Amino acid sequence: MDKETLELMTWLIPVGPLLSFFLITLFAKHNKTLSAAIAWAAVFTSLGLGWLVSFNVIGLQVEDMQNGTHELRKNPVVIADSEAWLPFQPEIENWLNMGVAVDPLTAVMLFMVPFAVTMIFIYSVGYHNYGKPNGTHLGTPNHGKQEPLFSRFFAFMSLFAAGMLTLVVADNLLLAFMGWEIMGLCSYLLIGFWYAREYDPDPKNAQKLPPRRASIKAFMTTRAGDVFMLLGIVGFYKLFGTLTFADALSAGSLIAAAGTEYSMYGMTFDGATWMGVLGILIFIGTVGKSAQWPLHVWLPNAMEGPTPVSAVIHAAAMVSAGVYVVIRIFPLLAVGMEASGNVSLIIGGIGAFTALMAATIAVAQDDVKGVLAYSTISQLGFMIAALGIGAYIAAAFHLITHAFFKALLFLGSGSIIHGMEHGAEHVHDHHTDPQDMMNMGGLKDKMPVTFWTFVVGGFALSGFPFVTAGFWSKDEILADAYYQISHGHGVIPLLSTAIFWMLAAAALLTAFYTMRQIALTFFGEPRTPLAEHAHESNGYMIWPLRGLAFFAITAGFVGIPETFPVLGQIFNYNFFHHFVGETIYETMKVLYAEGLVAHDIITLPFQPFPVSISIGVALGGLGLGWLVYGVRPLKEGQADPLVRVLGPIHTFLRNKWYWDEIYSFFIIKPVVWFSEYFVYEVVDRGVIDTILHVVAKVFYAIGQFLKRTEEIVFGDAVDWVKDMFLVMAKEVRILQSGRIQEYAGLTLAFTFLLTLLILYVLPILMQYLQ
C-alpha cells in the first residue's frame, strides 16, 4: 500500500468515533437504533483502518525476518505526516506541528485498542437491553428495560474512543495530551452516567460513593496528576524545541540535550538530570491516569459507571494511556535513570508498591467488579515497576495482553451482574446486591459461556503457565527484574531485588483472589434467589467474550522467548520482542555507546529461577484459592473463611488500607476547613470584605461631597441666576406695552438724551481728560 494512502488512513482512524459523537449528539439522539448503528459503523471503521495500518507495519517486520535485513530498525517511523498548528506567523520556521505517526509500538496499540473498543461497543447494546421496553427512570439503572439514555451513552463512548485513538496515533506530546484530556472528560461523564443513583451506607464498603460523587472524585484526582504532566510538557518543549516524539527522542537530540546545562531557581542541572526531572513530571500524570499510588483511589469508585465503561477505562483506554505515554517517552526516562538513580527508585518503587498493595486489597473485596478494579491497579503496577528497571518491551507486552484479558473479565463481570439482575426481576428482590459475590454461587451451569470465558480471563490474569497470555508477559517482567539483580549497576540491583519479590508476592495474591472470585461466583449452590434464577446473557454480550478470550490466550504466543526450552524452539522467534524493540533499538544502541543509558535492547538468556517462581506463584495461588473456596464452596449465610483467618487484617484490607480515610483526614478535611474558615471567614469576610467596606465608605463620602457640590454649584447657583433673570424680566416687561405711539415717544426721548450727551457732555469729558 502506498505511503499517501497509509497516511490518510492513519489520520482517519480517530475521525470515525469523533464524527459519531457529533452525529449522535446533534441528529440521532432521539433514535436509539440509529445511534447504535452510527457508533458501530464508527468503531468498525476504526478497527478496519487500524488493523490495515498495523498489519502493513507488521508486514515490514516479517519481510525483515525473511530477508535477514533490518530496514524497520533503521526507519522505525513508517508513517509520518504533520501540519503546522495555528500558523499565525508563517515566517516562523520552527512552528509547532501536529500530526500522526506509526511505528512498531503504535502498530501493536492499533491492533489492540480498536479491537477491544469494538468488542465493548457490541457488548454495550445487549448490556443496555436494546429492543426491550424503554425504561422511564433517567440517571438510574432500568433493570430489564432499555436504557433511556441509550444514545447519550454511545455518544460519550464514541468520544472516549476518539480520545484514545488520537493519543495512540499522535506524533507529538501536545496532541497526545489533547486525547488524554478528552478521555479525562469522558471518564467523568461516563462514571457519573447514572447521576441520580444514590446508596444507603454500606457496612462492607465504607468508601462506596454514588456515581455523581465518584465521577467528581475521578476527575479531580486525575487532574492533580495532569497539572504536573503539563509542566513536564512545557519543560520538554523548552529542552528540545519540539514536542514531536521522533525529533525530540532521537539519539542525536538526546545526546545534544544531555550535554547542555539548565538553570532554574538558582540551581544548575546537566541535561541528563533535567531529563529525569521532566520524565518524573510526565510520569506523575501517569500516576493519576493509571491509578498508581498515591493517586489510585479514584479507580475503584469508577466502577459506579455501567460495566462497559469499566471495561473501556480499565482495559482499552484511560489507564492504558498512562502506561503507554511512559513507554512512548522511554528513551528520555532511560537517560534520566542513568543520570540519577532516584528516577528508577521513584518509578520502580511506586509500581512495585502499588502492585503488592492493590493485590492485598483485592483479596478482601466482595464486589465482583471491585476485585477487578484493584486487580487493574495491581497489574498496572507491574508495568510501571518494569519501566522503573528499564524493561521497556516487557512493560509494553504486559500492557497489550492485560488489555485483552482485563476487558474480558470486566465484560464477564457485567454478564454476571446482568444475569443476577434478571434473577432479581424474577423474584422481585431489589434489595439484595447483585454485584456481591457472597450472594452468587452456582452460576457455572446457568451461565456456561460467561463461566468458561471468565475462567480463561482469570487464568490469564493469574499467569497460568504456558497457555495464557498473562503468563508470558508477567514472566517477562519477572525475568527482567531477576536479570537486573546481577547485571544492573548503581541502585538497580537492590531495586530489582525488591521489585522481583514484591511482584512475585503480588502474582501469588493475584492467582489466589482470582480463584476466590471464580469459586464464589460460579461453584457450589446458589446462595440467593437471585443466583437461583440467573441465566445466560444475550448474544450481543457473549460473542465479544469469545473474541476477547481468544486473544487472552493467543496474544502471548507472539512473545515467547527464543531461549525458552522447547516452546522457544517451536516458535523460534520472539516476534513481539523484536518488533516492538525496533521502535527504539538504534536510539538505545547509540545512547548506550555514549554512556547515557544503562543498556540497550537486549535478548535475555533463559533463567530457570524466575520462570520457576512465575509458575510456582501462579499454580500456588490458584491451588490455595481452590483449597479455601473451591473444595468446599460456601453455603448460604456462611462467612468468608478469610475473615476468621486474618481477623483485623481482613478489616484493614477490606477497608482498602484506609487510604480514603487517611486522605480525608489529612487532605480533604483540612482543605475544606481552610477554605470554609480561613479563606471564607478570615480572608474573604475579615480582610477582603473589610477592605471593600472601607473603600465603599470612602467612595460613598466622596460621592456625598460631590453630590452636595453639584447641588450648590449646579443646582442652587443656577436656580439663583434663573430667578434674577425672571425678576429682571418681570420689571422690564412693562416697557413692552405693544403701543406704537409709546415706542415712538420713547425712541424720541432716547434720541434727545443721546444728542445731549454727544453735544454737551462728551466735549466736557474730553476736555477734562486732556
Side-chain angles (χ1 to χ4, degrees), residues 124 226 261 610 699:
S124 298
D226 291 353
E261 289 189 346
F699 277 91

Side-chain angles (χ1 to χ4, degrees), residues 280-292:
I280 291 297
L281 288 174
I282 296 174
F283 170 71
I284 294 174
T286 292
V287 168
K289 198 67 108 186
S290 292
Q292 297 296 282

Side-chain angles (χ1 to χ4, degrees), residues 106 118 130 201 235 291 307 326 382 404 429 451 491 503 552 567 641 739:
T106 308
T118 301
Y130 173 74
T307 297
V326 178
F382 274 78
F404 286 123
D429 179 1
F451 166 67
V491 301
L503 295 186
L567 288 175
R739 296 171 183 172

Side-chain angles (χ1 to χ4, degrees), residues 248-267:
L249 302 179
S250 66
S253 177
L254 291 169
I255 292 171
T260 309
E261 289 189 346
Y262 298 88
S263 297
M264 178 179 289
Y265 304 120
M267 298 181 293

Side-chain angles (χ1 to χ4, degrees), residues 14 43 70 120 168 208 212 244 365 405-406 576 623 641 758:
V43 295
H70 298 288
I120 293 168
V168 170
K208 191 176 183 66
R212 180 180 58 83
T244 303
Q365 301 306 303
F405 61 71
K406 189 52 62 69
F576 191 93
I758 294 172

